[in-house]
Short mmCIF file of all heavy atoms in Angstrom, two decimals:
data_model
loop_
_atom_site.label_atom_id
_atom_site.label_comp_id
_atom_site.label_asym_id
_atom_site.label_seq_id
_atom_site.Cartn_x
_atom_site.Cartn_y
_atom_site.Cartn_z
N MET A 1 42.99 -125.95 109.91
CA MET A 1 41.59 -126.15 109.63
C MET A 1 40.73 -125.05 110.22
O MET A 1 39.76 -124.65 109.63
CB MET A 1 41.18 -127.49 110.21
CG MET A 1 40.49 -128.48 109.34
SD MET A 1 40.57 -128.25 107.60
CE MET A 1 39.29 -129.33 107.20
N SER A 2 41.07 -124.57 111.40
CA SER A 2 40.25 -123.53 112.03
C SER A 2 40.27 -122.24 111.20
O SER A 2 39.30 -121.51 111.18
CB SER A 2 40.70 -123.26 113.46
OG SER A 2 42.02 -122.76 113.45
N GLY A 3 41.39 -121.97 110.53
CA GLY A 3 41.46 -120.79 109.66
C GLY A 3 40.50 -120.89 108.50
O GLY A 3 39.87 -119.91 108.11
N ILE A 4 40.36 -122.07 107.94
CA ILE A 4 39.43 -122.27 106.83
C ILE A 4 37.99 -122.10 107.29
O ILE A 4 37.19 -121.46 106.64
CB ILE A 4 39.64 -123.66 106.19
CG1 ILE A 4 41.01 -123.71 105.51
CG2 ILE A 4 38.54 -123.96 105.19
CD1 ILE A 4 41.40 -125.07 105.02
N ARG A 5 37.67 -122.65 108.44
CA ARG A 5 36.32 -122.50 108.97
C ARG A 5 35.99 -121.05 109.22
O ARG A 5 34.91 -120.59 108.97
CB ARG A 5 36.16 -123.31 110.26
CG ARG A 5 36.03 -124.77 110.02
CD ARG A 5 35.62 -125.50 111.30
NE ARG A 5 35.94 -126.89 111.15
CZ ARG A 5 36.79 -127.56 111.90
NH1 ARG A 5 37.40 -126.99 112.89
NH2 ARG A 5 37.03 -128.84 111.67
N HIS A 6 36.96 -120.30 109.71
CA HIS A 6 36.74 -118.89 109.99
C HIS A 6 36.39 -118.13 108.70
O HIS A 6 35.48 -117.33 108.68
CB HIS A 6 37.97 -118.27 110.65
CG HIS A 6 37.85 -116.80 110.85
ND1 HIS A 6 36.97 -116.26 111.76
CD2 HIS A 6 38.45 -115.75 110.25
CE1 HIS A 6 37.05 -114.93 111.71
NE2 HIS A 6 37.96 -114.62 110.80
N VAL A 7 37.10 -118.40 107.62
CA VAL A 7 36.85 -117.73 106.35
C VAL A 7 35.46 -118.10 105.83
O VAL A 7 34.71 -117.24 105.38
CB VAL A 7 37.93 -118.08 105.31
CG1 VAL A 7 37.54 -117.61 103.93
CG2 VAL A 7 39.27 -117.48 105.73
N CYS A 8 35.10 -119.35 105.90
CA CYS A 8 33.83 -119.81 105.34
C CYS A 8 32.62 -119.38 106.17
O CYS A 8 31.53 -119.28 105.65
CB CYS A 8 33.82 -121.33 105.19
SG CYS A 8 34.97 -121.89 103.94
N THR A 9 32.82 -119.14 107.46
CA THR A 9 31.70 -118.74 108.29
C THR A 9 31.60 -117.23 108.46
O THR A 9 30.64 -116.74 109.03
CB THR A 9 31.78 -119.40 109.69
OG1 THR A 9 33.01 -119.01 110.30
CG2 THR A 9 31.68 -120.90 109.59
N SER A 10 32.57 -116.50 107.95
CA SER A 10 32.54 -115.05 108.05
C SER A 10 31.50 -114.50 107.08
O SER A 10 31.60 -114.71 105.87
CB SER A 10 33.91 -114.48 107.72
OG SER A 10 33.84 -113.07 107.66
N PRO A 11 30.49 -113.76 107.56
CA PRO A 11 29.44 -113.26 106.67
C PRO A 11 29.94 -112.26 105.65
O PRO A 11 29.38 -112.13 104.57
CB PRO A 11 28.43 -112.61 107.61
CG PRO A 11 29.05 -112.55 108.94
CD PRO A 11 30.26 -113.41 108.93
N LYS A 12 31.04 -111.54 105.95
CA LYS A 12 31.56 -110.56 105.00
C LYS A 12 32.25 -111.21 103.81
O LYS A 12 32.26 -110.66 102.72
CB LYS A 12 32.53 -109.63 105.71
CG LYS A 12 31.87 -108.71 106.70
CD LYS A 12 32.89 -107.79 107.32
CE LYS A 12 32.21 -106.87 108.32
NZ LYS A 12 33.16 -105.99 108.97
N LEU A 13 32.85 -112.37 104.01
CA LEU A 13 33.64 -113.00 102.96
C LEU A 13 32.88 -114.04 102.16
O LEU A 13 33.27 -114.38 101.05
CB LEU A 13 34.90 -113.63 103.57
CG LEU A 13 35.86 -112.66 104.24
CD1 LEU A 13 37.01 -113.41 104.87
CD2 LEU A 13 36.37 -111.63 103.25
N CYS A 14 31.80 -114.58 102.69
CA CYS A 14 31.05 -115.61 102.00
C CYS A 14 29.86 -115.00 101.29
O CYS A 14 29.19 -114.12 101.82
CB CYS A 14 30.56 -116.69 102.97
SG CYS A 14 31.91 -117.62 103.70
N ASP A 15 29.59 -115.47 100.09
CA ASP A 15 28.42 -115.02 99.35
C ASP A 15 27.17 -115.66 99.93
O ASP A 15 27.18 -116.83 100.29
CB ASP A 15 28.53 -115.40 97.87
CG ASP A 15 29.63 -114.63 97.16
OD1 ASP A 15 29.89 -113.49 97.57
OD2 ASP A 15 30.19 -115.17 96.21
N ARG A 16 26.13 -114.91 99.99
CA ARG A 16 24.84 -115.44 100.45
C ARG A 16 24.10 -116.01 99.25
O ARG A 16 24.11 -115.43 98.17
CB ARG A 16 24.00 -114.33 101.06
CG ARG A 16 24.64 -113.68 102.26
CD ARG A 16 24.18 -114.37 103.48
NE ARG A 16 24.93 -113.88 104.63
CZ ARG A 16 24.47 -113.84 105.83
NH1 ARG A 16 23.27 -114.25 106.08
NH2 ARG A 16 25.21 -113.40 106.80
N THR A 17 23.46 -117.12 99.44
CA THR A 17 22.65 -117.71 98.38
C THR A 17 21.26 -117.09 98.42
O THR A 17 20.63 -117.03 99.47
CB THR A 17 22.55 -119.23 98.57
OG1 THR A 17 23.87 -119.78 98.53
CG2 THR A 17 21.72 -119.86 97.48
N GLN A 18 20.82 -116.62 97.27
CA GLN A 18 19.47 -116.07 97.14
C GLN A 18 18.67 -117.02 96.27
O GLN A 18 19.10 -117.40 95.19
CB GLN A 18 19.50 -114.70 96.50
CG GLN A 18 20.23 -113.66 97.32
CD GLN A 18 20.32 -112.34 96.59
OE1 GLN A 18 20.18 -112.27 95.39
NE2 GLN A 18 20.55 -111.28 97.35
N VAL A 19 17.49 -117.39 96.74
CA VAL A 19 16.61 -118.29 96.00
C VAL A 19 15.34 -117.53 95.64
O VAL A 19 14.70 -116.95 96.51
CB VAL A 19 16.28 -119.55 96.82
CG1 VAL A 19 15.33 -120.45 96.04
CG2 VAL A 19 17.55 -120.29 97.19
N SER A 20 15.02 -117.53 94.35
CA SER A 20 13.79 -116.89 93.87
C SER A 20 12.86 -117.96 93.33
O SER A 20 13.27 -118.80 92.52
CB SER A 20 14.11 -115.92 92.73
OG SER A 20 15.08 -114.99 93.13
N VAL A 21 11.63 -117.94 93.76
CA VAL A 21 10.64 -118.90 93.27
C VAL A 21 10.16 -118.42 91.91
O VAL A 21 9.73 -117.27 91.75
CB VAL A 21 9.45 -119.02 94.26
CG1 VAL A 21 8.39 -119.93 93.69
CG2 VAL A 21 9.93 -119.53 95.60
N LEU A 22 10.26 -119.28 90.89
CA LEU A 22 9.81 -118.93 89.55
C LEU A 22 8.33 -119.27 89.35
O LEU A 22 7.64 -118.61 88.59
CB LEU A 22 10.65 -119.67 88.51
CG LEU A 22 12.14 -119.36 88.52
CD1 LEU A 22 12.86 -120.25 87.54
CD2 LEU A 22 12.38 -117.90 88.19
N ARG A 23 7.88 -120.31 90.03
CA ARG A 23 6.49 -120.76 89.89
C ARG A 23 6.09 -121.55 91.12
O ARG A 23 6.86 -122.37 91.60
CB ARG A 23 6.37 -121.65 88.65
CG ARG A 23 5.06 -122.35 88.42
CD ARG A 23 4.05 -121.42 87.77
NE ARG A 23 2.99 -122.12 87.09
CZ ARG A 23 1.92 -122.63 87.70
NH1 ARG A 23 1.79 -122.54 89.00
NH2 ARG A 23 0.99 -123.22 87.01
N GLN A 24 4.89 -121.31 91.63
CA GLN A 24 4.34 -122.07 92.74
C GLN A 24 3.47 -123.19 92.18
O GLN A 24 2.77 -122.99 91.19
CB GLN A 24 3.46 -121.18 93.63
CG GLN A 24 4.22 -120.16 94.43
CD GLN A 24 4.88 -120.77 95.65
OE1 GLN A 24 4.88 -121.97 95.88
NE2 GLN A 24 5.46 -119.91 96.46
N PHE A 25 3.53 -124.36 92.79
CA PHE A 25 2.73 -125.50 92.38
C PHE A 25 1.87 -125.96 93.55
O PHE A 25 2.23 -125.74 94.71
CB PHE A 25 3.63 -126.66 91.94
CG PHE A 25 4.42 -126.38 90.70
CD1 PHE A 25 5.73 -125.91 90.79
CD2 PHE A 25 3.87 -126.57 89.45
CE1 PHE A 25 6.47 -125.65 89.66
CE2 PHE A 25 4.61 -126.32 88.30
CZ PHE A 25 5.91 -125.86 88.41
N ASP A 26 0.75 -126.60 93.24
CA ASP A 26 -0.10 -127.16 94.30
C ASP A 26 0.60 -128.31 95.01
O ASP A 26 0.45 -128.49 96.21
CB ASP A 26 -1.43 -127.65 93.71
CG ASP A 26 -2.27 -126.49 93.20
OD1 ASP A 26 -2.11 -125.36 93.70
OD2 ASP A 26 -3.10 -126.73 92.30
N ASP A 27 1.36 -129.09 94.25
CA ASP A 27 2.09 -130.23 94.81
C ASP A 27 3.36 -129.73 95.50
O ASP A 27 4.18 -129.03 94.88
CB ASP A 27 2.45 -131.20 93.68
CG ASP A 27 3.15 -132.46 94.16
OD1 ASP A 27 3.40 -132.58 95.38
OD2 ASP A 27 3.44 -133.31 93.31
N LYS A 28 3.54 -130.04 96.77
CA LYS A 28 4.72 -129.56 97.50
C LYS A 28 6.02 -130.17 96.99
O LYS A 28 7.10 -129.67 97.27
CB LYS A 28 4.57 -129.84 98.99
CG LYS A 28 4.60 -131.32 99.34
CD LYS A 28 4.54 -131.53 100.83
CE LYS A 28 4.63 -133.02 101.14
NZ LYS A 28 4.73 -133.28 102.55
N ASN A 29 5.93 -131.27 96.22
CA ASN A 29 7.13 -131.93 95.69
C ASN A 29 7.57 -131.37 94.34
O ASN A 29 8.54 -131.85 93.77
CB ASN A 29 6.90 -133.43 95.58
CG ASN A 29 6.74 -134.08 96.94
OD1 ASN A 29 7.41 -133.71 97.89
ND2 ASN A 29 5.84 -135.02 97.05
N LYS A 30 6.86 -130.37 93.81
CA LYS A 30 7.24 -129.73 92.55
C LYS A 30 7.76 -128.34 92.86
O LYS A 30 7.25 -127.66 93.74
CB LYS A 30 6.03 -129.58 91.63
CG LYS A 30 5.63 -130.81 90.90
CD LYS A 30 4.55 -130.46 89.90
CE LYS A 30 4.11 -131.67 89.14
NZ LYS A 30 3.09 -131.33 88.14
N PHE A 31 8.80 -127.94 92.12
CA PHE A 31 9.24 -126.56 92.24
C PHE A 31 9.98 -126.12 90.99
O PHE A 31 10.46 -126.93 90.20
CB PHE A 31 10.10 -126.33 93.49
CG PHE A 31 11.39 -127.11 93.53
CD1 PHE A 31 12.48 -126.73 92.79
CD2 PHE A 31 11.52 -128.19 94.37
CE1 PHE A 31 13.68 -127.43 92.86
CE2 PHE A 31 12.70 -128.90 94.46
CZ PHE A 31 13.78 -128.52 93.70
N ALA A 32 10.01 -124.81 90.81
CA ALA A 32 10.79 -124.15 89.78
C ALA A 32 11.38 -122.93 90.46
O ALA A 32 10.65 -122.06 90.93
CB ALA A 32 9.92 -123.77 88.60
N ARG A 33 12.70 -122.88 90.53
CA ARG A 33 13.33 -121.77 91.24
C ARG A 33 14.68 -121.42 90.62
O ARG A 33 15.29 -122.22 89.90
CB ARG A 33 13.49 -122.08 92.71
CG ARG A 33 14.37 -123.27 93.01
CD ARG A 33 14.31 -123.64 94.46
NE ARG A 33 15.11 -124.82 94.73
CZ ARG A 33 14.97 -125.58 95.79
NH1 ARG A 33 14.05 -125.30 96.68
NH2 ARG A 33 15.74 -126.63 95.97
N LYS A 34 15.12 -120.23 90.94
CA LYS A 34 16.42 -119.73 90.49
C LYS A 34 17.26 -119.50 91.72
O LYS A 34 16.81 -118.91 92.70
CB LYS A 34 16.23 -118.42 89.73
CG LYS A 34 17.51 -117.78 89.27
CD LYS A 34 17.20 -116.46 88.58
CE LYS A 34 18.46 -115.72 88.24
NZ LYS A 34 18.17 -114.42 87.61
N ARG A 35 18.49 -119.96 91.69
CA ARG A 35 19.39 -119.83 92.84
C ARG A 35 20.61 -119.00 92.40
O ARG A 35 21.27 -119.33 91.42
CB ARG A 35 19.82 -121.22 93.29
CG ARG A 35 20.71 -121.23 94.51
CD ARG A 35 21.07 -122.64 94.91
NE ARG A 35 19.91 -123.45 95.22
CZ ARG A 35 19.39 -123.60 96.44
NH1 ARG A 35 19.95 -122.99 97.45
NH2 ARG A 35 18.34 -124.36 96.63
N ASN A 36 20.89 -117.93 93.14
CA ASN A 36 22.05 -117.07 92.88
C ASN A 36 22.99 -117.13 94.06
O ASN A 36 22.56 -116.99 95.20
CB ASN A 36 21.62 -115.61 92.73
CG ASN A 36 20.91 -115.34 91.45
OD1 ASN A 36 20.26 -116.19 90.90
ND2 ASN A 36 20.99 -114.11 90.99
N LYS A 37 24.26 -117.30 93.76
CA LYS A 37 25.30 -117.21 94.79
C LYS A 37 26.49 -116.52 94.13
O LYS A 37 27.24 -117.13 93.37
CB LYS A 37 25.69 -118.59 95.31
CG LYS A 37 26.70 -118.51 96.43
CD LYS A 37 26.99 -119.86 97.03
CE LYS A 37 27.98 -119.70 98.17
NZ LYS A 37 28.31 -120.98 98.77
N GLY A 38 26.60 -115.23 94.39
CA GLY A 38 27.65 -114.46 93.74
C GLY A 38 27.39 -114.39 92.24
O GLY A 38 26.32 -113.99 91.82
N ARG A 39 28.35 -114.83 91.45
CA ARG A 39 28.19 -114.84 89.99
C ARG A 39 27.64 -116.17 89.47
O ARG A 39 27.41 -116.33 88.28
CB ARG A 39 29.53 -114.54 89.33
CG ARG A 39 30.01 -113.12 89.64
CD ARG A 39 31.31 -112.82 88.98
NE ARG A 39 31.13 -112.85 87.53
CZ ARG A 39 32.09 -112.62 86.67
NH1 ARG A 39 33.29 -112.34 87.09
NH2 ARG A 39 31.87 -112.67 85.38
N ASP A 40 27.44 -117.11 90.36
CA ASP A 40 26.92 -118.43 90.00
C ASP A 40 25.39 -118.38 89.97
O ASP A 40 24.76 -117.95 90.93
CB ASP A 40 27.39 -119.46 91.03
CG ASP A 40 26.96 -120.86 90.68
OD1 ASP A 40 26.73 -121.14 89.49
OD2 ASP A 40 26.86 -121.69 91.60
N VAL A 41 24.81 -118.79 88.86
CA VAL A 41 23.35 -118.81 88.71
C VAL A 41 22.94 -120.22 88.30
O VAL A 41 23.54 -120.81 87.41
CB VAL A 41 22.89 -117.82 87.62
CG1 VAL A 41 21.38 -117.88 87.43
CG2 VAL A 41 23.32 -116.41 87.96
N SER A 42 21.93 -120.76 88.98
CA SER A 42 21.41 -122.06 88.57
C SER A 42 19.90 -122.04 88.63
O SER A 42 19.30 -121.35 89.46
CB SER A 42 21.98 -123.18 89.46
OG SER A 42 21.59 -122.98 90.80
N TYR A 43 19.30 -122.77 87.73
CA TYR A 43 17.85 -122.94 87.69
C TYR A 43 17.55 -124.37 88.11
O TYR A 43 18.19 -125.30 87.64
CB TYR A 43 17.31 -122.66 86.28
CG TYR A 43 17.44 -121.21 85.90
CD1 TYR A 43 18.57 -120.72 85.26
CD2 TYR A 43 16.42 -120.32 86.19
CE1 TYR A 43 18.68 -119.39 84.93
CE2 TYR A 43 16.51 -118.99 85.85
CZ TYR A 43 17.65 -118.53 85.23
OH TYR A 43 17.76 -117.20 84.90
N GLU A 44 16.58 -124.52 88.99
CA GLU A 44 16.26 -125.84 89.52
C GLU A 44 14.78 -126.14 89.27
O GLU A 44 13.91 -125.31 89.56
CB GLU A 44 16.54 -125.88 91.02
CG GLU A 44 17.99 -125.60 91.36
CD GLU A 44 18.23 -125.50 92.86
OE1 GLU A 44 17.29 -125.16 93.60
OE2 GLU A 44 19.35 -125.79 93.27
N PHE A 45 14.54 -127.31 88.74
CA PHE A 45 13.18 -127.77 88.46
C PHE A 45 13.05 -129.18 89.00
O PHE A 45 13.95 -130.00 88.84
CB PHE A 45 12.92 -127.79 86.95
CG PHE A 45 13.17 -126.45 86.29
CD1 PHE A 45 14.37 -126.19 85.67
CD2 PHE A 45 12.20 -125.47 86.32
CE1 PHE A 45 14.61 -124.97 85.06
CE2 PHE A 45 12.43 -124.23 85.72
CZ PHE A 45 13.63 -123.99 85.09
N LEU A 46 11.93 -129.47 89.63
CA LEU A 46 11.71 -130.81 90.17
C LEU A 46 10.34 -131.30 89.75
O LEU A 46 9.34 -130.58 89.88
CB LEU A 46 11.82 -130.79 91.70
CG LEU A 46 11.70 -132.15 92.38
CD1 LEU A 46 12.86 -133.05 91.98
CD2 LEU A 46 11.69 -131.99 93.88
N ARG A 47 10.32 -132.50 89.21
CA ARG A 47 9.10 -133.21 88.84
C ARG A 47 8.27 -132.50 87.78
O ARG A 47 7.05 -132.45 87.86
CB ARG A 47 8.26 -133.51 90.06
CG ARG A 47 8.97 -134.45 91.00
CD ARG A 47 8.05 -134.94 92.05
NE ARG A 47 8.78 -135.87 92.91
CZ ARG A 47 8.20 -136.73 93.69
NH1 ARG A 47 6.91 -136.81 93.73
NH2 ARG A 47 8.92 -137.52 94.43
N LEU A 48 8.94 -131.97 86.77
CA LEU A 48 8.23 -131.38 85.64
C LEU A 48 8.08 -132.44 84.55
O LEU A 48 8.97 -133.28 84.38
CB LEU A 48 8.98 -130.18 85.09
CG LEU A 48 9.10 -128.96 86.00
CD1 LEU A 48 9.87 -127.86 85.31
CD2 LEU A 48 7.73 -128.46 86.42
N PRO A 49 7.00 -132.38 83.79
CA PRO A 49 6.81 -133.35 82.70
C PRO A 49 7.93 -133.23 81.65
O PRO A 49 8.55 -132.18 81.49
CB PRO A 49 5.46 -132.95 82.09
CG PRO A 49 4.78 -132.14 83.14
CD PRO A 49 5.87 -131.49 83.95
N LYS A 50 8.15 -134.32 80.94
CA LYS A 50 9.23 -134.38 79.94
C LYS A 50 9.07 -133.31 78.86
O LYS A 50 10.05 -132.74 78.41
CB LYS A 50 9.28 -135.77 79.27
CG LYS A 50 9.69 -136.87 80.21
CD LYS A 50 11.16 -136.82 80.47
CE LYS A 50 11.56 -138.03 81.31
NZ LYS A 50 12.93 -137.94 81.74
N ASN A 51 7.83 -133.02 78.44
CA ASN A 51 7.64 -132.03 77.38
C ASN A 51 8.04 -130.63 77.85
O ASN A 51 8.60 -129.84 77.08
CB ASN A 51 6.20 -132.04 76.87
CG ASN A 51 5.18 -131.71 77.94
OD1 ASN A 51 5.41 -131.90 79.12
ND2 ASN A 51 4.03 -131.22 77.51
N ILE A 52 7.81 -130.31 79.11
CA ILE A 52 8.23 -129.01 79.64
C ILE A 52 9.75 -128.98 79.77
O ILE A 52 10.39 -127.97 79.45
CB ILE A 52 7.56 -128.71 81.00
CG1 ILE A 52 6.05 -128.55 80.80
CG2 ILE A 52 8.16 -127.47 81.64
CD1 ILE A 52 5.28 -128.36 82.08
N GLN A 53 10.36 -130.07 80.18
CA GLN A 53 11.82 -130.14 80.26
C GLN A 53 12.45 -129.92 78.89
O GLN A 53 13.43 -129.18 78.75
CB GLN A 53 12.26 -131.48 80.82
CG GLN A 53 11.92 -131.69 82.26
CD GLN A 53 12.31 -133.09 82.73
OE1 GLN A 53 13.28 -133.67 82.24
NE2 GLN A 53 11.57 -133.62 83.68
N ALA A 54 11.88 -130.55 77.88
CA ALA A 54 12.40 -130.41 76.53
C ALA A 54 12.27 -128.96 76.04
O ALA A 54 13.19 -128.42 75.41
CB ALA A 54 11.67 -131.35 75.58
N GLU A 55 11.15 -128.33 76.34
CA GLU A 55 10.94 -126.93 75.94
C GLU A 55 11.93 -126.01 76.66
O GLU A 55 12.48 -125.09 76.06
CB GLU A 55 9.51 -126.52 76.24
CG GLU A 55 9.17 -125.10 75.87
CD GLU A 55 9.07 -124.84 74.39
OE1 GLU A 55 9.08 -125.82 73.60
OE2 GLU A 55 9.00 -123.67 74.00
N LEU A 56 12.15 -126.24 77.94
CA LEU A 56 13.13 -125.44 78.68
C LEU A 56 14.54 -125.61 78.08
O LEU A 56 15.26 -124.62 77.91
CB LEU A 56 13.15 -125.85 80.15
CG LEU A 56 11.94 -125.41 80.97
CD1 LEU A 56 11.94 -126.12 82.32
CD2 LEU A 56 11.94 -123.91 81.17
N ASP A 57 14.92 -126.84 77.77
CA ASP A 57 16.22 -127.09 77.15
C ASP A 57 16.36 -126.33 75.84
O ASP A 57 17.39 -125.72 75.56
CB ASP A 57 16.43 -128.59 76.91
CG ASP A 57 16.61 -129.38 78.18
OD1 ASP A 57 16.94 -128.78 79.22
OD2 ASP A 57 16.40 -130.61 78.14
N ARG A 58 15.31 -126.36 75.03
CA ARG A 58 15.33 -125.70 73.72
C ARG A 58 15.47 -124.18 73.88
O ARG A 58 16.31 -123.56 73.24
CB ARG A 58 14.06 -126.03 72.93
CG ARG A 58 14.05 -125.49 71.51
CD ARG A 58 12.73 -125.73 70.81
NE ARG A 58 11.62 -125.02 71.44
CZ ARG A 58 11.39 -123.70 71.32
NH1 ARG A 58 12.20 -122.95 70.62
NH2 ARG A 58 10.35 -123.14 71.91
N VAL A 59 14.68 -123.60 74.76
CA VAL A 59 14.70 -122.15 74.96
C VAL A 59 16.04 -121.69 75.53
O VAL A 59 16.60 -120.68 75.11
CB VAL A 59 13.52 -121.71 75.86
CG1 VAL A 59 13.65 -120.26 76.26
CG2 VAL A 59 12.20 -121.97 75.16
N ILE A 60 16.58 -122.43 76.47
CA ILE A 60 17.88 -122.08 77.05
C ILE A 60 18.97 -122.16 75.99
O ILE A 60 19.81 -121.25 75.88
CB ILE A 60 18.21 -122.98 78.26
CG1 ILE A 60 17.27 -122.65 79.43
CG2 ILE A 60 19.67 -122.85 78.68
CD1 ILE A 60 17.31 -123.64 80.56
N ALA A 61 18.98 -123.21 75.20
CA ALA A 61 19.99 -123.36 74.14
C ALA A 61 19.87 -122.22 73.13
O ALA A 61 20.90 -121.65 72.70
CB ALA A 61 19.84 -124.71 73.46
N GLU A 62 18.66 -121.86 72.72
CA GLU A 62 18.46 -120.77 71.76
C GLU A 62 18.93 -119.43 72.33
O GLU A 62 19.57 -118.64 71.64
CB GLU A 62 16.98 -120.65 71.37
CG GLU A 62 16.51 -121.71 70.43
CD GLU A 62 15.02 -121.59 70.12
OE1 GLU A 62 14.37 -120.60 70.56
OE2 GLU A 62 14.50 -122.47 69.42
N THR A 63 18.65 -119.19 73.58
CA THR A 63 19.04 -117.93 74.22
C THR A 63 20.56 -117.83 74.33
O THR A 63 21.14 -116.78 74.03
CB THR A 63 18.40 -117.81 75.61
OG1 THR A 63 16.98 -117.91 75.47
CG2 THR A 63 18.74 -116.48 76.26
N LEU A 64 21.20 -118.92 74.73
CA LEU A 64 22.66 -118.90 74.81
C LEU A 64 23.29 -118.70 73.43
O LEU A 64 24.27 -117.95 73.29
CB LEU A 64 23.17 -120.20 75.44
CG LEU A 64 22.84 -120.38 76.92
CD1 LEU A 64 23.24 -121.76 77.40
CD2 LEU A 64 23.53 -119.31 77.76
N LYS A 65 22.73 -119.33 72.43
CA LYS A 65 23.25 -119.18 71.07
C LYS A 65 23.08 -117.73 70.59
O LYS A 65 23.98 -117.17 69.98
CB LYS A 65 22.51 -120.14 70.13
CG LYS A 65 23.02 -120.11 68.72
CD LYS A 65 22.28 -121.11 67.86
CE LYS A 65 22.75 -121.05 66.43
NZ LYS A 65 22.02 -122.00 65.58
N LYS A 66 21.94 -117.15 70.89
CA LYS A 66 21.65 -115.77 70.47
C LYS A 66 22.62 -114.78 71.07
O LYS A 66 23.13 -113.88 70.37
CB LYS A 66 20.22 -115.41 70.86
CG LYS A 66 19.82 -114.00 70.53
CD LYS A 66 18.39 -113.73 70.97
CE LYS A 66 17.98 -112.30 70.74
NZ LYS A 66 16.60 -112.05 71.19
N TYR A 67 22.91 -114.90 72.35
CA TYR A 67 23.72 -113.90 73.02
C TYR A 67 25.20 -114.23 73.11
O TYR A 67 26.01 -113.35 73.35
CB TYR A 67 23.18 -113.65 74.44
CG TYR A 67 21.85 -112.92 74.41
CD1 TYR A 67 20.66 -113.60 74.59
CD2 TYR A 67 21.82 -111.56 74.19
CE1 TYR A 67 19.45 -112.93 74.54
CE2 TYR A 67 20.62 -110.87 74.14
CZ TYR A 67 19.43 -111.56 74.31
OH TYR A 67 18.25 -110.89 74.26
N LEU A 68 25.56 -115.48 72.95
CA LEU A 68 26.97 -115.86 73.13
C LEU A 68 27.62 -116.41 71.87
O LEU A 68 28.75 -116.89 71.93
CB LEU A 68 27.08 -116.89 74.26
CG LEU A 68 26.56 -116.41 75.63
CD1 LEU A 68 26.63 -117.54 76.64
CD2 LEU A 68 27.32 -115.19 76.11
N ALA A 69 26.95 -116.35 70.76
CA ALA A 69 27.51 -116.89 69.51
C ALA A 69 28.45 -115.90 68.85
O ALA A 69 28.44 -114.76 69.04
CB ALA A 69 26.41 -117.27 68.54
#
């Protein structure tokens, strides 16, 4: 187990997570951000209205279809 901890805590071997704010909101409980960790990319949204969620889903699906079809 100590060998595993050593690998995971070594700064040279572990990827650093980078978080980019996509939009600032007045409400501290809302956010839109992009998180990168190595080749892993995720977009995180909290407390957005349903219509904005639907638009994001549509745009993401269209973009993936355009470039990966």
Side-chain angles (χ1 to χ4, degrees):
M1 232 16 196
S2 63
I4 293 172
R5 284 191 199 117
H6 175 69
V7 169
C8 292
T9 59
S10 173
K12 291 182 180 178
L13 298 176
C14 294
D15 292 330
R16 299 268 172 151
T17 300
Q18 297 176 340
V19 178
S20 305
V21 176
L22 299 174
R23 173 82 159 81
Q24 290 281 7
F25 294 95
D26 293 334
D27 183 358
K28 67 176 182 173
N29 293 322
K30 281 187 180 182
F31 62 76
R33 62 189 178 200
K34 177 182 174 182
R35 183 179 300 267
N36 287 29
K37 184 175 182 181
R39 294 181 65 180
D40 183 25
V41 178
S42 62
Y43 291 90
E44 300 174 334
F45 304 97
L46 184 64
R47 296 191 179 199
L48 294 180
K50 293 284 186 188
N51 60 336
I52 294 176
Q53 291 176 31
E55 180 72 10
L56 288 168
D57 290 341
R58 185 185 64 76
V59 171
I60 291 169
E62 285 178 5
T63 303
L64 291 173
K65 182 178 178 182
K66 178 181 176 181
Y67 289 101
L68 301 176

